[in-house]
Amino acid sequence: MPEASSHACMSCGACCCAYRVDFSVHEMEDLGGTVPAGLAVEVSGATMRMRGTDHVPMRCAAFQGRVGERASCGIYEWRPNPCRELEPGSQGCERARARHGLPPLDA
Ligand code: SF4
Ligand code: SF4
C-alpha cells in the first residue's frame, strides 16, 4: 500500500494480499531499519518476507481491513520498500486488483 492519502488505496488493499513482500534484512528494526521484528520471517540470510505474504490465502500480517472495502497498513510509517514503491495504477497494482475482482483504477 503506497499512499495512505490515496483514496483508491484506502478502499482497496489488494496489493497487501496478492504478492510476496520481500526486502533486505537491513530494513529490519533490529538492524537499524524500521520493520518490526515479529512481522517478518527470514527467507535467506539477506532477505526477509512480510509474514503472511506466502500463505494461502495471502494476507500481509500488517494488513488491517478488508480488501476492496477499507484498507490500512498497521505499520504504515515503518513498512518496507516494496510497499512504498508500488504505484497506484501501475501494472503491479492493477494485477493485484484484478486478482481480487476489483476493476482497473482508470476504469
Ligand atoms: S492495489 Fe493499487 S489501489 Fe490497491 S492498495 Fe495497492 S496500490 Fe493502492
Ligand atoms: S507492510 Fe503494510 S503496505 Fe506492506 S504489504 Fe503489509 S500491510 Fe501492505
Side-chain angles (χ1 to χ4, degrees):
M1 181 173 301
E3 291 290 338
S5 57
S6 161
H7 182 72
C9 294
M10 289 177 71
S11 58
C12 176
C15 57
C16 304
C17 303
Y19 299 120
R20 288 183 188 146
V21 178
D22 290 0
F23 53 92
S24 162
V25 70
H26 297 290
E27 291 199 61
M28 295 303 294
E29 189 177 27
D30 44 7
L31 287 183
T34 58
V35 180
L39 283 172
V41 292
E42 190 175 330
V43 180
S44 71
T47 306
M48 300 295 290
R49 177 170 295 160
M50 286 306 294
R51 195 179 285 280
T53 64
D54 59 3
H55 294 181
V56 179
M58 204 176 259
R59 180 184 169 106
C60 177
F63 180 68
Q64 297 172 342
R66 197 178 158 97
V67 172
E69 292 178 14
R70 65 197 151 70
S72 62
C73 172
I75 56 162
Y76 186 73
E77 288 169 53
W78 305 288
R79 71 201 190 290
N81 270 316
C83 309
R84 299 168 191 272
E85 286 166 1
L86 198 143
E87 300 270 352
S90 66
Q91 268 196 355
C93 161
E94 299 294 14
R95 209 177 311 127
R97 287 177 61 86
R99 277 189 201 177
H100 286 276
L102 297 170
L105 272 192
D106 59 6

